[in-house]
Amino acid sequence: MTHSRTVELEGHIIDSGTMQRCFGAVMDLGGSFDVERFDVGKHETEESYCRLTVSADDPETLRGILHELHQNGAVLEDPSDVELVAAPADKVVPPNFYSTTNHPTEVLYDGEWIGVERIEMDCALVVEPEPAADAGEGDRADASDPGGSPRAYTKTLNAIEEGDLVATDQSGIRVKPPERPRSGGGAFGFMQGGVSAERPSESTIREVAAELRAVKADGGNVMVVAGPAVIHSGAGDALADLVAGGYVDALSAGNGFATHDLERSIYGTSLGMNVETLEHPRKGHKHHIWTISEIIRAGGIEAAVEDGVVTEGVMYECVEHGVDTVLAGSIRDDGPLPDTITDAVEAQDAIREQAHDADIVIMLATLLHSVAVGNCLPSTTKTVCVDINPATVTQLLDRGSAQAIGMVTDIGTFVPTLAELVLEDGDAETAVADE
C-alpha cells in the first residue's frame, strides 16, 4: 500500500537550491514524488511555486521524508492547526514534541499563522492562547505585547514548566530557510558559498568591515565571540580599538581569553610570552595565575580597572565603554576569574540573551564557543566565523549554523586588518559628514 501527502514550496526555490534539495531528499529516503504544479518566477523579485505529491511504501518512511521537506520550507497542503500537548511536568516535554530549527518559523493556531518569537534551534515550541500581561523575559515575552493575543515562542527543555502547551509533530508549523538573493547581492550576498581558504582575504575583510559599519549606522548590535588565540596572536590591541571605537556591543568569551588579555595589561605577556618580542620572561609561566589572583584581590575586572590594576586591553575597553560581557567557564579553567560564570546553564542563558540581541556576530578563533553561540542564533543573523583551522569553520556549519560565512585565515591578520578598515573608513565617513 502506498502512502502519500501533498506539499507546497514557495519562494526563490530555484535560485536557493531548495527544489533540488527537496527532490533529492525524497529519493534518498526511499520515496517518490509527482510534481502537480510548477510556476516559475520570471523576474528578479517574482517567487516560484511548486506543489508535489510525495509517496512512500509505509507511513514511517513518509513521515521521515515529510520531516526533511519541512526543514527545507515545505508546507503540507491545507495544513491543520498545530497540535498542542500540555507538558506533564517541569522540564518534561510530551513525546514527539517538535524540535525547532533556527529558521524563521510560524505556527497555525486557531486558523491564523503566528510568528514564533526568539527562534533558535533544538528548542521546544510553546503556544500561549492568552498570554498574561505580566509575562516576564524568562517566558520569552515580547515587552511590546500587552497580552491578549496568542503567542508562540521557543523554550529550552530545562525551562519547560508543567502545563506549557508544547507543539508536537510538524503539522501546522512552517519554516522559512534563508534564500540566496537572485541578484547575488543582499545581506552577505558577496560571500555566498560557505567555507573557502581561497577567497581574496583583504577584499573579503573589506566587505565584512562595510557590513559592520552599516549595522552600526542603522543602530544595530554587534556581538564578538573571541578565543584566547586573539590575544596570543597579537590581535588583542586591534580588538580593543574596535571596542573603543564603538563597534562592539557584546563580547562572549571564556575565562582563558579574559585572563590572557588581563595578563597582557598587568605583565605585558600572554601565557607568559611577550607577544611583540616572542620572549619568555623569567617565571612568565606563572603570570596567568598571578593575574587571576590580582583580579580576585581587586574584587573583579571592573574593580581592577577602577583601581588602575588594569589599564589597557579588550576587557579594559569593555569596562570603559559599557560593553555587555559574558565569560563562560569550563572544566579546564584556572582560578577562575570572579567574573566567570561557572554554572553551565546560567552561562548558556546569558549567552542566549546576547545572541538574540545581535544583528551581526563575528566569531574569532574559538571552536567550542562559536558552536555554542551558533546554536543560539536564528538563521537570519549575519555571522562570520574566522579561524586558521578549516575544521573549526566547517564544524560550525555542520552543526546547523548554515548562515555562517567561514573564513580560513590567520586571526592575527584578520582582526588588525578589519579594525584598520572599519576605523579608518569610519573616520573618513565621519569627517565627510562633519563637513
Side-chain angles (χ1 to χ4, degrees):
M1 179 180 177
T2 301
H3 301 263
S4 61
R5 294 294 299 270
T6 300
V7 299
E8 298 174 312
L9 292 163
E10 191 168 5
H12 296 298
I13 56 178
I14 301 174
D15 310 72
S16 299
T18 303
M19 279 189 60
Q20 179 182 351
R21 288 194 300 272
C22 288
F23 290 169
V26 174
M27 293 183 286
D28 290 345
L29 295 174
S32 59
F33 62 87
D34 178 38
V35 177
E36 297 181 353
R37 178 180 168 186
F38 184 26
D39 299 331
V40 180
K42 299 178 181 179
H43 304 289
E44 185 172 313
T45 59
E46 188 177 354
E47 297 182 340
S48 300
Y49 171 85
C50 180
R51 183 174 69 239
L52 62 154
T53 298
V54 181
S55 303
D57 293 336
D58 58 85
E60 191 62 32
T61 299
L62 180 62
R63 187 176 300 113
I65 292 172
L66 292 176
H67 174 76
E68 190 69 24
L69 297 181
H70 170 80
Q71 306 294 296
N72 284 280
V75 181
L76 291 172
E77 186 181 40
D78 299 323
S80 56
D81 273 10
V82 63
E83 182 179 342
L84 302 173
V85 177
D90 290 352
K91 303 183 181 181
V92 179
V93 291
N96 299 319
F97 79 100
Y98 176 79
S99 178
T100 57
T101 71
N102 60 349
H103 302 316
T105 303
E106 295 178 313
V107 297
L108 186 61
Y109 179 77
D110 200 17
E112 294 186 7
W113 288 103
I114 304 171
V116 178
E117 301 168 21
R118 295 171 62 88
I119 192 68
E120 64 180 88
M121 67 175 74
D122 301 331
C123 291
L125 197 162
V126 174
V127 174
E128 288 186 14
E130 295 180 1
D134 60 349
E137 180 62 28
D139 295 321
R140 302 292 176 89
D142 182 350
S144 65
D145 186 354
S149 300
R151 287 180 53 239
Y153 50 89
T154 60
K155 265 193 174 184
T156 57
L157 298 192
N158 63 17
I160 289 293
E161 299 175 296
E162 181 179 356
D164 279 344
L165 295 180
V166 180
T168 59
D169 200 23
Q170 58 206 22
S171 58
I173 300 173
R174 65 184 181 190
V175 301
K176 188 174 179 58
E179 295 179 334
R180 184 188 299 271
R182 179 169 294 176
S183 63
F188 274 20
F190 64 90
M191 292 195 300
Q192 292 286 352
V195 182
S196 175
E198 299 180 357
R199 291 192 181 96
S201 292
E202 185 167 346
S203 60
T204 304
I205 299 172
R206 189 175 295 279
E207 295 285 3
V208 175
E211 191 66 40
L212 204 59
R213 293 196 308 274
V215 168
K216 291 305 300 178
D218 291 339
N221 183 289
V222 177
M223 179 179 182
V224 170
V225 183
V230 173
I231 307 301
H232 207 56
S233 67
D237 289 344
L239 181 55
D241 289 342
L242 284 171
V243 175
Y247 287 94
V248 178
D249 299 288
L251 173 70
S252 182
N255 187 74
F257 169 86
T259 300
H260 291 352
D261 177 70
L262 296 165
E263 175 191 338
R264 188 158 183 270
S265 174
I266 297 173
Y267 296 102
T269 60
S270 173
L271 268 184
M273 181 187 75
N274 186 303
V275 174
E276 283 75 28
T277 65
L278 303 184
E279 295 177 349
H280 291 264
R282 186 171 179 272
K283 294 188 178 181
H285 63 285
K286 295 181 179 290
H287 286 177
H288 80 286
I289 200 67
W290 289 351
T291 295
I292 293 171
S293 175
E294 289 302 311
I295 301 302
I296 293 174
R297 194 186 331 278
I301 296 173
E302 184 174 351
V305 170
E306 292 174 352
D307 293 346
V309 176
V310 175
T311 58
E312 62 181 345
V314 179
M315 302 309 299
Y316 171 84
E317 296 295 350
C318 285
V319 171
E320 289 291 286
H321 294 85
V323 171
D324 178 29
T325 303
V326 172
L327 302 180
S330 78
I331 196 69
R332 307 181 305 278
D333 291 339
D334 291 318
L337 293 164
D339 303 80
T340 299
I341 303 173
T342 55
D343 183 302
V345 174
E346 182 184 346
Q348 186 184 86
D349 288 342
I351 291 172
R352 181 170 286 112
E353 293 307 312
Q354 287 184 312
H356 278 280
D357 286 338
D359 296 295
I360 184 171
V361 179
I362 311 294
M363 300 175 172
L364 304 172
T366 171
L367 169 58
L368 298 180
H369 222 98
S370 294
V371 171
V373 174
N375 287 349
C376 299
L377 291 172
S379 63
T380 51
T381 302
K382 302 165 187 173
T383 306
V384 179
C385 181
V386 185
D387 202 293
I388 194 65
N389 183 359
T392 297
V393 185
T394 54
Q395 186 166 339
L396 177 69
L397 272 65
D398 290 343
R399 287 279 298 170
S401 300
Q403 82 278 13
I405 301 304
M407 283 192 65
V408 181
T409 190
D410 175 26
I411 202 71
T413 299
F414 175 86
V415 181
T417 304
L418 178 67
E420 180 181 355
L421 292 170
V422 168
L423 297 174
E424 284 189 0
D425 290 352
D427 291 342
E429 290 175 1
T430 301
V432 171
D434 290 343
E435 290 176 2

